[in-house]
């Protein structure tokens, strides 16, 4: 017989996002209580993203979460928790996901334009990138404010959907903050170490900041190689965001069907 209270997966090791999502959804279906904050762990994992490629696992975990939620909405006891507020929350989340996807697409186009300018030794093209980057930062800051307002406006109904939205907003915030140029924590580096590396580009530096660092240091070859790798990582993130957007649309349609039946 199943225990009413289940421990978190991954005893004596750190559970993956996929394990946490699977465990959380199983608990919701069976009505079990959990020892530990599963959603809190999923949200806190976003803070550990230190590169564009490190977002892939988090985004895929979120996509799997909404794929499973779409299936769970077929269950009658889950359908009973659905309200019009849930649909309103989904509309806000869809808008947020769309905005973040567009900003990431803009960032990809900007670095591609910069790569072309660097190869052609086009100073005006480089300056155009810097101007566009400055404008993009303002847009990202505005989107971050909108995301935080969305989080505060989330309804208290349907805890499963609310929890999933909290994870989604946390991931989108984390991604936008990174695109803004958030620095990787380096509290373990000594002052001497920082001074010794002041004229070098750190391997753990935010990719967006690295671009500006290479430009300032006039390191053309390093910049070209970095942009090529960065472009590939942004492309993957962009495709993953599009996949999440499609899952959100499917879930919203399911919610509307539940309300109308």
């Amino acid at each position: 017989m199943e225990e009413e209270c289940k421990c978190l997966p991954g005893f004596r090791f750190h559970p993956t996002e996929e394990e946490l999502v699977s465990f959380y959804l199983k608990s919701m279906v069976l009505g079990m209580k959990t020892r530990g904050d599963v959603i809190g762990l999923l949200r806190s994992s976003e803070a550990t993203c230190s590169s564009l490629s490190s977002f892939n696992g988090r985004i895929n975990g979120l996509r799997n979460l909404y794929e499973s939620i779409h299936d769970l909405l077929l269950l009658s006891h889950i359908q009973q928790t659905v309200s019009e507020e849930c649909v309103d929350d989904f509309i806000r989340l869809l808008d947020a996901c769309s905005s973040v996807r567009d900003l990431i697409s803009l960032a990809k186009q900007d670095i591609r334009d910069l790569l072309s300018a660097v190869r052609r030794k086009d100073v005006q093209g480089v300056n155009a990138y810097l101007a566009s980057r400055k404008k993009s930062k303002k847009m990202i800051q505005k989107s971050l404010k909108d995301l935080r307002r969305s989080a505060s406006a989330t309804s208290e109904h349907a805890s499963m959907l609310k929890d999933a939205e909290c994870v989604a907003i946390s991931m989108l915030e984390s991604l936008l903050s990174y695109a803004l140029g958030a620095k990787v924590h380096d509290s373990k580096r000594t002052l001497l170490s920082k001074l010794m590396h002041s004229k070098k580009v750190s391997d753990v530096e935010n990719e967006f900041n690295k671009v500006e660092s290479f430009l300032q240091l006039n390191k053309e070859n390093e910049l070209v190689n970095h942009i090529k790798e960065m472009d590939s990582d942004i492309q993957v993130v962009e495709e993953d965001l599009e996949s999440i957007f499609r899952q959100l649309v499917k879930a919203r349609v399911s919610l509307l069907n539940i309300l109308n039946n």
Side-chain angles (χ1 to χ4, degrees), residues 59-209:
I59 296 176
N60 287 332
L62 183 62
R63 181 185 61 199
N64 293 338
L65 174 61
Y66 276 101
E67 284 178 350
S68 299
I69 285 177
H70 179 263
D71 295 333
L72 288 180
L73 288 174
L74 299 174
L75 302 177
S76 60
H77 71 283
I78 297 294
Q79 291 179 1
Q80 292 173 3
T81 67
V82 174
S83 65
E84 291 183 3
E85 288 85 352
C86 297
V87 178
D88 292 339
D89 290 342
F90 254 80
I91 292 174
R92 284 193 293 268
L93 186 55
L94 277 167
D95 288 342
C97 185
S98 177
S99 295
V100 174
R101 179 193 57 188
D102 291 344
L103 287 169
I104 293 299
S105 297
L106 178 60
K108 181 187 70 175
Q109 188 57 52
D110 280 346
I111 65 165
R112 287 182 175 180
D113 291 343
L114 175 61
L115 178 61
S116 177
V118 170
R119 284 173 167 170
R120 292 182 285 106
K121 300 187 184 301
D122 181 3
V123 176
Q124 288 185 342
V126 173
N127 289 334
Y129 165 79
L130 294 174
S132 181
R133 175 66 177 154
K134 185 177 180 180
K135 182 179 179 181
S136 295
K137 285 184 176 181
K138 291 182 180 179
M139 295 169 64
I140 291 173
Q141 288 171 337
K142 182 180 182 302
S143 290
L144 279 170
K145 291 180 180 179
D146 292 341
L147 270 177
R148 287 157 189 160
R149 280 197 294 269
S150 295
S152 63
T154 301
S155 73
E156 295 299 325
H157 301 282
S159 61
M160 177 187 68
L161 297 174
K162 182 177 182 298
D163 287 344
E165 183 182 5
C166 287
V167 175
I169 289 178
S170 177
M171 188 279 294
L172 293 174
E173 275 191 60
S174 181
L175 181 56
L176 279 184
S177 295
Y178 194 84
L180 187 62
K183 296 180 179 179
V184 178
H185 294 298
D186 59 353
S187 57
K188 294 183 179 180
R189 290 177 60 192
T190 65
L191 176 60
L192 178 60
S193 174
K194 291 178 182 180
L195 290 173
M196 290 176 64
H197 292 82
S198 61
K199 293 186 178 181
K200 296 173 64 177
V201 179
S202 171
D203 290 336
V204 297
E205 187 176 350
N206 180 300
E207 281 106 322
F208 292 93
N209 292 343

Side-chain angles (χ1 to χ4, degrees), residues 6-60:
K6 301 289 288 184
C7 295
L8 291 177
F11 180 66
R12 291 183 178 173
F13 67 92
H14 193 284
T16 64
E17 283 77 13
E18 288 78 9
E19 287 174 321
L20 287 172
V21 167
S22 175
F23 179 76
Y24 169 73
L25 292 171
K26 180 181 177 182
S27 301
M28 291 296 299
V29 172
L30 299 179
M32 298 183 300
K33 294 182 180 180
T34 60
R35 293 173 186 163
D37 182 6
V38 178
I39 294 301
L41 285 173
L42 284 169
R43 293 183 67 181
S44 65
S45 70
E46 312 306 334
T48 65
C49 295
S50 57
S51 65
L52 283 168
S53 59
S54 67
F55 279 96
N56 295 343
R58 277 62 176 177
I59 296 176
N60 287 332

Side-chain angles (χ1 to χ4, degrees), residues 185-245:
H185 294 298
D186 59 353
S187 57
K188 294 183 179 180
R189 290 177 60 192
T190 65
L191 176 60
L192 178 60
S193 174
K194 291 178 182 180
L195 290 173
M196 290 176 64
H197 292 82
S198 61
K199 293 186 178 181
K200 296 173 64 177
V201 179
S202 171
D203 290 336
V204 297
E205 187 176 350
N206 180 300
E207 281 106 322
F208 292 93
N209 292 343
K210 269 187 178 183
V211 171
E212 295 179 17
S213 296
F214 282 131
L215 283 172
Q216 291 173 357
L217 297 173
N218 198 27
K219 293 189 174 183
E220 181 178 327
N221 292 334
E222 290 89 340
L223 176 60
V224 169
N225 292 333
H226 174 65
I227 291 178
K228 288 180 180 178
E229 182 177 350
M230 185 178 175
D231 177 68
S232 177
D233 290 337
I234 292 181
Q235 179 71 31
V236 173
V237 170
E238 182 185 29
E239 291 172 356
D240 287 343
L241 286 173
E242 177 62 31
S243 179
I244 288 178
F245 184 81

